[in-house]
Amino acid sequence: MSIGILESSFVGYVEEGQDDNFDWIFGDHYVSINNTIINFKIDRLHVMPQELGSLFLFNSQSNNISNDIRTKIIDYGGTNRIRATYDGFNKLSQYDQDSNGTDIIVNSVKDYLISSGLTNNRRNNHLKIEKMLVSNNYSLKEGLDRIIDLTDTFSNFKRLYKTDRIEEDYHSNIMHNDIDLLILTGGGSLILDASTYPSNSPSMWQPDNPLTANAQGYLKAILEQNNDEETFSGLFESKDTQKENNVSVGDLVQISSSSINTLDGEIIEGHQDWIGIIDYVHYDDEGIPNSYTIKYSDDQSDTFVKYDDLKKII
């Protein structure tokens, strides 16, 4: 789990019951992807700072990050802005999270419209103004057929926002000689085009899609650890050497004719050769699948059925 966090004590592995901030994550969950329900259970959690994903992404494209490279990452979101410094992939103590995200622009436009007499909150509200900012479509409907062009209004507030943020970057010393690389990321960074920074700035990089750069970087880091364990040493667990079961939720399976009992000792000898659907996957303490819940057509079910007692049909 990668999140914008201020307290460095949050970073690392979290056990269930260890911290109230994360207890809601543990347990059974499901997601729907392309009309397919996927059930899963979370019993292990590794909390990571979100902006680090962009550093992973940069390294996957350049392979230039080493412990002697100092990087400042500025992650612009809607509500918050995160500024963090890394030596290699190790975060230093300098870490700053404030409320200088792009909501400043949204709120400025919203207040300007109110002062101009547009007080209809169906037209002038935070969500609508935010969508206009993201889509670069600055036309706002008022009444039955009147369209207000807010292009100049947005341009002015975006320019002020950009000027203020760049000035803050100078005052926060990120342009000093101890910074080798400056990364601008997060959806809000689209407003602060890296090319607008002065030529005496550190080497700068902005992802092609800063809105999803952190997620892309983490995915690449997880995949790459299979080929280079040392690059991300200490950040992720080693790859599990586990048996890859070829069954999953939704599969049609048959109970073995030699099955006697489930993993928790329940007798299922009377259900030998029964056919059902895998309804849920159970995991051991290491996060490895160890048994399954099987649901039958008559709404009966067996829980904790062992993998070796199943035969996949479809």
Short mmCIF file of all heavy atoms in Angstrom, two decimals, residues 54-55 58-59 62 64-65 68-74 84-86 88 174 176-184 201-206:
data_model
loop_
_atom_site.label_atom_id
_atom_site.label_comp_id
_atom_site.label_asym_id
_atom_site.label_seq_id
_atom_site.Cartn_x
_atom_site.Cartn_y
_atom_site.Cartn_z
N SER A 54 7.42 7.18 -8.33
CA SER A 54 7.94 7.95 -9.47
C SER A 54 9.45 7.80 -9.60
O SER A 54 9.99 7.82 -10.71
CB SER A 54 7.56 9.43 -9.33
OG SER A 54 6.17 9.61 -9.53
N LEU A 55 10.14 7.63 -8.48
CA LEU A 55 11.58 7.40 -8.53
C LEU A 55 11.87 6.03 -9.13
O LEU A 55 12.81 5.87 -9.92
CB LEU A 55 12.18 7.52 -7.13
CG LEU A 55 13.71 7.45 -7.03
CD1 LEU A 55 14.36 8.55 -7.86
CD2 LEU A 55 14.15 7.55 -5.57
N PHE A 58 11.39 6.41 -12.87
CA PHE A 58 12.53 7.08 -13.50
C PHE A 58 13.68 6.10 -13.66
O PHE A 58 14.31 6.03 -14.73
CB PHE A 58 12.98 8.27 -12.66
CG PHE A 58 14.26 8.92 -13.14
CD1 PHE A 58 14.24 9.84 -14.18
CD2 PHE A 58 15.47 8.59 -12.57
CE1 PHE A 58 15.41 10.42 -14.64
CE2 PHE A 58 16.65 9.17 -13.02
CZ PHE A 58 16.62 10.08 -14.06
N ASN A 59 13.97 5.34 -12.62
CA ASN A 59 15.09 4.40 -12.68
C ASN A 59 14.86 3.29 -13.70
O ASN A 59 15.80 2.83 -14.34
CB ASN A 59 15.33 3.79 -11.31
CG ASN A 59 16.63 3.01 -11.25
OD1 ASN A 59 17.72 3.56 -11.33
ND2 ASN A 59 16.51 1.68 -11.13
N SER A 62 15.96 4.93 -16.91
CA SER A 62 17.31 5.47 -17.04
C SER A 62 18.39 4.61 -16.40
O SER A 62 19.55 4.65 -16.80
CB SER A 62 17.37 6.87 -16.41
OG SER A 62 17.22 6.78 -15.00
N ASN A 64 19.80 5.14 -13.63
CA ASN A 64 20.85 6.05 -13.16
C ASN A 64 20.85 6.28 -11.65
O ASN A 64 21.68 7.03 -11.15
CB ASN A 64 20.70 7.42 -13.85
CG ASN A 64 21.18 7.38 -15.30
OD1 ASN A 64 22.02 6.57 -15.65
ND2 ASN A 64 20.63 8.26 -16.12
N ILE A 65 19.90 5.68 -10.94
CA ILE A 65 19.79 5.94 -9.50
C ILE A 65 20.74 5.05 -8.71
O ILE A 65 20.71 3.83 -8.83
CB ILE A 65 18.35 5.73 -9.01
CG1 ILE A 65 17.41 6.70 -9.71
CG2 ILE A 65 18.25 5.92 -7.50
CD1 ILE A 65 17.75 8.17 -9.49
N ASP A 68 24.65 7.59 -4.37
CA ASP A 68 25.26 8.92 -4.37
C ASP A 68 24.45 9.93 -5.18
O ASP A 68 24.88 11.07 -5.37
CB ASP A 68 26.70 8.85 -4.91
CG ASP A 68 26.76 8.45 -6.38
OD1 ASP A 68 25.79 7.82 -6.85
OD2 ASP A 68 27.76 8.77 -7.04
N ILE A 69 23.27 9.55 -5.64
CA ILE A 69 22.38 10.46 -6.35
C ILE A 69 21.30 10.95 -5.39
O ILE A 69 20.55 10.15 -4.83
CB ILE A 69 21.71 9.78 -7.57
CG1 ILE A 69 22.78 9.34 -8.57
CG2 ILE A 69 20.71 10.72 -8.23
CD1 ILE A 69 23.59 10.48 -9.15
N ARG A 70 21.25 12.25 -5.18
CA ARG A 70 20.25 12.84 -4.27
C ARG A 70 19.10 13.42 -5.11
O ARG A 70 19.32 14.25 -5.99
CB ARG A 70 20.85 13.91 -3.40
CG ARG A 70 19.85 14.58 -2.45
CD ARG A 70 20.56 15.31 -1.33
NE ARG A 70 21.25 14.37 -0.44
CZ ARG A 70 21.96 14.74 0.64
NH1 ARG A 70 22.05 16.02 0.96
NH2 ARG A 70 22.55 13.83 1.38
N THR A 71 17.90 12.96 -4.82
CA THR A 71 16.72 13.34 -5.61
C THR A 71 15.69 14.03 -4.72
O THR A 71 15.41 13.57 -3.61
CB THR A 71 16.06 12.10 -6.24
OG1 THR A 71 17.03 11.39 -7.02
CG2 THR A 71 14.89 12.49 -7.12
N LYS A 72 15.16 15.12 -5.21
CA LYS A 72 14.01 15.77 -4.56
C LYS A 72 12.79 15.45 -5.41
O LYS A 72 12.77 15.66 -6.62
CB LYS A 72 14.21 17.27 -4.46
CG LYS A 72 12.98 18.02 -3.96
CD LYS A 72 12.79 17.87 -2.46
CE LYS A 72 13.44 18.99 -1.71
NZ LYS A 72 13.23 18.95 -0.26
N ILE A 73 11.76 14.88 -4.76
CA ILE A 73 10.51 14.56 -5.45
C ILE A 73 9.43 15.49 -4.93
O ILE A 73 9.23 15.61 -3.73
CB ILE A 73 10.10 13.09 -5.20
CG1 ILE A 73 11.22 12.13 -5.59
CG2 ILE A 73 8.82 12.77 -5.98
CD1 ILE A 73 10.93 10.69 -5.23
N ILE A 74 8.73 16.15 -5.86
CA ILE A 74 7.58 16.98 -5.50
C ILE A 74 6.35 16.37 -6.15
O ILE A 74 6.26 16.28 -7.38
CB ILE A 74 7.75 18.44 -5.95
CG1 ILE A 74 9.10 18.99 -5.48
CG2 ILE A 74 6.62 19.29 -5.40
CD1 ILE A 74 9.33 20.44 -5.86
N ALA A 84 9.84 15.37 -0.82
CA ALA A 84 10.69 14.43 -0.09
C ALA A 84 12.03 14.30 -0.79
O ALA A 84 12.13 14.45 -2.01
CB ALA A 84 10.01 13.06 -0.01
N THR A 85 13.07 14.02 -0.01
CA THR A 85 14.43 13.89 -0.53
C THR A 85 14.93 12.47 -0.32
O THR A 85 14.75 11.89 0.75
CB THR A 85 15.38 14.89 0.16
OG1 THR A 85 14.85 16.21 0.05
CG2 THR A 85 16.76 14.86 -0.48
N TYR A 86 15.59 11.93 -1.35
CA TYR A 86 16.11 10.56 -1.29
C TYR A 86 17.58 10.54 -1.70
O TYR A 86 17.99 11.25 -2.63
CB TYR A 86 15.34 9.65 -2.25
CG TYR A 86 13.93 9.33 -1.81
CD1 TYR A 86 12.88 10.23 -2.05
CD2 TYR A 86 13.63 8.14 -1.16
CE1 TYR A 86 11.59 9.94 -1.65
CE2 TYR A 86 12.35 7.85 -0.76
CZ TYR A 86 11.32 8.74 -1.01
OH TYR A 86 10.05 8.45 -0.60
N GLY A 88 19.70 7.78 -3.28
CA GLY A 88 19.35 6.50 -3.89
C GLY A 88 17.86 6.27 -3.69
O GLY A 88 17.04 7.10 -4.07
N ILE A 174 15.65 23.54 -2.85
CA ILE A 174 15.79 22.38 -3.73
C ILE A 174 16.66 22.69 -4.94
O ILE A 174 17.08 21.78 -5.64
CB ILE A 174 14.42 21.87 -4.21
CG1 ILE A 174 13.81 22.85 -5.21
CG2 ILE A 174 13.48 21.60 -3.09
CD1 ILE A 174 12.68 22.24 -5.98
N HIS A 176 19.56 24.12 -4.70
CA HIS A 176 20.96 24.22 -4.29
C HIS A 176 21.77 23.05 -4.83
O HIS A 176 21.22 22.07 -5.34
CB HIS A 176 21.05 24.29 -2.77
CG HIS A 176 20.60 25.62 -2.22
ND1 HIS A 176 20.78 25.98 -0.92
CD2 HIS A 176 19.97 26.67 -2.82
CE1 HIS A 176 20.30 27.20 -0.73
NE2 HIS A 176 19.79 27.63 -1.87
N ASN A 177 23.06 23.13 -4.68
CA ASN A 177 23.95 22.18 -5.33
C ASN A 177 23.88 20.76 -4.77
O ASN A 177 24.43 19.84 -5.36
CB ASN A 177 25.40 22.67 -5.22
CG ASN A 177 25.63 23.93 -6.03
OD1 ASN A 177 24.97 24.15 -7.03
ND2 ASN A 177 26.58 24.75 -5.60
N ASP A 178 23.20 20.56 -3.61
CA ASP A 178 23.18 19.21 -3.06
C ASP A 178 22.09 18.34 -3.70
O ASP A 178 21.98 17.16 -3.39
CB ASP A 178 22.98 19.24 -1.54
CG ASP A 178 21.64 19.84 -1.14
OD1 ASP A 178 21.07 20.58 -1.96
OD2 ASP A 178 21.18 19.56 -0.03
N ILE A 179 21.29 18.90 -4.61
CA ILE A 179 20.25 18.13 -5.29
C ILE A 179 20.71 17.81 -6.71
O ILE A 179 21.07 18.69 -7.48
CB ILE A 179 18.92 18.90 -5.35
CG1 ILE A 179 18.41 19.20 -3.95
CG2 ILE A 179 17.88 18.11 -6.14
CD1 ILE A 179 18.11 17.97 -3.11
N ASP A 180 20.73 16.52 -7.06
CA ASP A 180 21.15 16.10 -8.40
C ASP A 180 19.98 16.00 -9.37
O ASP A 180 20.14 16.22 -10.57
CB ASP A 180 21.84 14.73 -8.33
CG ASP A 180 23.05 14.75 -7.42
OD1 ASP A 180 23.97 15.55 -7.69
OD2 ASP A 180 23.08 13.98 -6.44
N LEU A 181 18.80 15.65 -8.83
CA LEU A 181 17.66 15.40 -9.70
C LEU A 181 16.38 15.90 -9.04
O LEU A 181 16.18 15.68 -7.84
CB LEU A 181 17.53 13.89 -9.98
CG LEU A 181 16.26 13.41 -10.70
CD1 LEU A 181 16.22 13.94 -12.13
CD2 LEU A 181 16.19 11.88 -10.69
N LEU A 182 15.56 16.60 -9.80
CA LEU A 182 14.26 17.04 -9.32
C LEU A 182 13.18 16.35 -10.15
O LEU A 182 13.18 16.44 -11.38
CB LEU A 182 14.12 18.56 -9.45
CG LEU A 182 12.74 19.15 -9.12
CD1 LEU A 182 12.38 18.90 -7.66
CD2 LEU A 182 12.70 20.64 -9.43
N ILE A 183 12.26 15.64 -9.47
CA ILE A 183 11.16 14.96 -10.15
C ILE A 183 9.86 15.66 -9.80
O ILE A 183 9.53 15.84 -8.63
CB ILE A 183 11.08 13.47 -9.72
CG1 ILE A 183 12.31 12.71 -10.22
CG2 ILE A 183 9.81 12.83 -10.27
CD1 ILE A 183 12.32 11.24 -9.82
N LEU A 184 9.13 16.09 -10.83
CA LEU A 184 7.80 16.65 -10.65
C LEU A 184 6.78 15.59 -11.04
O LEU A 184 6.79 15.11 -12.18
CB LEU A 184 7.61 17.89 -11.54
CG LEU A 184 8.50 19.09 -11.25
CD1 LEU A 184 8.21 20.20 -12.26
CD2 LEU A 184 8.29 19.59 -9.84
N SER A 201 18.47 25.16 -12.77
CA SER A 201 17.87 24.18 -11.87
C SER A 201 18.62 22.86 -11.98
O SER A 201 19.37 22.63 -12.93
CB SER A 201 16.40 23.97 -12.23
OG SER A 201 15.69 25.19 -12.22
N PRO A 202 18.42 21.95 -11.00
CA PRO A 202 19.03 20.62 -11.12
C PRO A 202 18.44 19.89 -12.33
O PRO A 202 17.48 20.35 -12.95
CB PRO A 202 18.61 19.93 -9.82
CG PRO A 202 18.14 21.00 -8.91
CD PRO A 202 17.63 22.10 -9.79
N SER A 203 19.02 18.75 -12.67
CA SER A 203 18.42 17.92 -13.71
C SER A 203 16.98 17.63 -13.32
O SER A 203 16.70 17.29 -12.17
CB SER A 203 19.20 16.62 -13.86
OG SER A 203 20.53 16.87 -14.27
N MET A 204 16.07 17.78 -14.29
CA MET A 204 14.65 17.66 -13.97
C MET A 204 14.01 16.59 -14.83
O MET A 204 14.42 16.34 -15.96
CB MET A 204 13.94 18.99 -14.17
CG MET A 204 14.49 20.10 -13.31
SD MET A 204 13.53 21.60 -13.48
CE MET A 204 11.98 21.06 -12.78
N TRP A 205 12.98 15.94 -14.25
CA TRP A 205 12.26 14.92 -14.99
C TRP A 205 10.80 14.96 -14.58
O TRP A 205 10.47 15.12 -13.41
CB TRP A 205 12.83 13.54 -14.70
CG TRP A 205 12.15 12.43 -15.46
CD1 TRP A 205 12.23 12.16 -16.79
CD2 TRP A 205 11.27 11.44 -14.90
NE1 TRP A 205 11.48 11.06 -17.11
CE2 TRP A 205 10.86 10.60 -15.97
CE3 TRP A 205 10.78 11.19 -13.61
CZ2 TRP A 205 10.00 9.52 -15.79
CZ3 TRP A 205 9.92 10.12 -13.43
CH2 TRP A 205 9.54 9.30 -14.51
N GLN A 206 9.94 14.84 -15.58
CA GLN A 206 8.51 14.78 -15.34
C GLN A 206 7.96 13.58 -16.13
O GLN A 206 8.19 13.47 -17.33
CB GLN A 206 7.83 16.07 -15.80
CG GLN A 206 6.36 16.18 -15.40
CD GLN A 206 5.81 17.57 -15.73
OE1 GLN A 206 6.26 18.22 -16.65
NE2 GLN A 206 4.84 18.00 -14.96
#
